[in-house]
Amino acid sequence: MKNTFKQLNARFCAVLVLGMTVLLTGCSTVSVDKIKDKADRTLDVISTKTNIGKNPRDPLEGFNRAMFNFNDSLDQAVLKPVAQTYRDVTPSFVQTGVGNFFSNIGDVWNAVNNLLQGKVAEGSSDVMRFAFNSTFGLAGLLDIASPAGLPKHREDFGQTLGRWGVRSGPYLVLPLLGSSTVRDALATPVDMKGNLWSYKEPVYVRNIGTAVRLVDARASVLDAGSLIEEAALDKYVFIRDAYLQRRASQIAPDED
């Protein structure tokens, strides 16, 4: 475990900033007016009956619903059953330790993003949390920083770009990763690079840890998922609107 954190701490000061290129693409017109008119009328009928394409925050709703259904089917068939078994057979204190361990690693990237956003107090608190829990909390298995007055923050590079004034763009559902926006999708590779666990060696330990982290995270929201399935008339719309509202509050909390 000490070797693990030596490797993690060695990358603590690496701030990853990637350039982004915004490409504008044009749309060509269809020369056959009859085909175009018929297509337009068909789309109008579909939009009227389903409301698809009417939400300015979700112009890619057709694609997004297809990705949502794919992700949901995969979750129901594989991830959810595994998470349920994990929750049922794993002692609660072990689950808590797993969550704390990976949450502690995430505090490093939280600190970087808070500092990039100019939130020096929060960034300094994240640094202290990581040092405190890594040293006195058995490499992060115990969260003793929160009771000590160092609250948990959750920051990512998408939030940093938002703080810098980059607009979110349309809502976007990513394969396997789920809800996002165009801005957050561009930030995702940076967040992956900022995850210290992604540098863990050997690779098989990294892969096992990543799988355990994924299952543990899914197990932690099983009850919430059940409530959504029971209460939401349209699960896609419920999750989309909740995600966009939550992201807006994370980036501009003072505007709530």
Side-chain angles (χ1 to χ4, degrees):
M1 190 68 70
K2 291 183 178 179
N3 291 333
T4 296
F5 276 88
K6 286 181 179 178
Q7 294 172 7
L8 298 178
N9 288 329
R11 297 182 181 271
F12 176 76
C13 294
V15 178
L16 305 168
V17 179
L18 299 181
M20 296 189 304
T21 304
V22 180
L23 302 177
L24 300 177
T25 58
C27 297
S28 60
T29 59
V30 179
S31 58
V32 184
D33 292 338
K34 290 184 178 180
I35 297 177
K36 180 178 183 299
D37 291 341
K38 186 174 181 179
D40 288 341
R41 288 195 299 270
T42 302
L43 289 174
D44 287 341
V45 171
I46 294 174
S47 295
T48 299
K49 291 185 176 298
T50 66
N51 204 36
I52 292 177
K54 295 296 186 179
N55 191 328
R57 298 181 302 173
D58 190 11
L60 305 173
E61 187 171 348
F63 169 83
N64 287 336
R65 280 186 179 272
M67 285 297 99
F68 176 85
N69 291 334
F70 169 78
N71 291 342
D72 191 54
S73 297
L74 186 63
D75 175 72
Q76 296 294 324
V78 180
L79 187 55
K80 183 179 179 179
V82 173
Q84 288 173 326
T85 302
Y86 168 84
R87 186 180 66 174
D88 293 340
V89 304
T90 306
S92 59
F93 73 89
V94 174
Q95 296 179 47
T96 300
V98 170
N100 287 342
F101 176 78
F102 287 106
S103 177
N104 183 55
I105 293 175
D107 281 336
V108 175
W109 190 233
N110 291 333
V112 171
N113 280 288
N114 268 322
L115 293 173
L116 288 175
Q117 294 171 33
K119 296 187 289 186
V120 178
E122 290 86 345
S124 300
S125 174
D126 292 333
V127 173
M128 294 176 63
R129 274 184 61 90
F130 178 75
F132 207 54
N133 284 336
S134 298
T135 305
F136 302 106
L138 302 179
L141 294 175
L142 302 177
D143 178 12
I144 57 178
S146 294
L150 297 172
K152 175 74 178 179
H153 302 119
R154 300 185 186 279
E155 302 290 332
D156 55 59
F157 197 63
Q159 291 170 250
T160 298
L161 292 178
R163 285 281 186 170
W164 290 352
V166 178
R167 291 182 296 178
S168 66
Y171 178 70
L172 183 64
V173 179
L174 300 175
L176 304 180
L177 299 179
S179 295
S180 185
T181 61
V182 171
R183 179 195 62 215
D184 292 345
L186 292 173
T188 296
V190 185
D191 287 325
M192 291 180 175
K193 288 291 185 181
N195 175 19
L196 294 189
W197 187 255
S198 67
Y199 302 101
K200 173 64 180 152
E201 298 291 345
V203 174
Y204 79 89
V205 174
R206 180 198 313 164
N207 292 339
I208 292 173
T210 300
V212 171
R213 182 181 192 177
L214 176 63
V215 172
D216 181 78
R218 182 63 181 91
S220 67
V221 295
L222 282 172
D223 292 337
S226 298
L227 289 175
I228 292 174
E229 292 173 358
E230 293 173 2
L233 296 177
D234 188 330
K235 187 176 177 181
Y236 169 83
V237 171
F238 183 92
I239 292 176
R240 178 195 65 193
D241 292 349
Y243 174 82
L244 291 174
Q245 183 177 5
R246 176 174 173 270
R247 288 301 281 176
S249 67
Q250 288 175 330
I251 293 168
D254 295 337
E255 296 180 6
D256 289 352

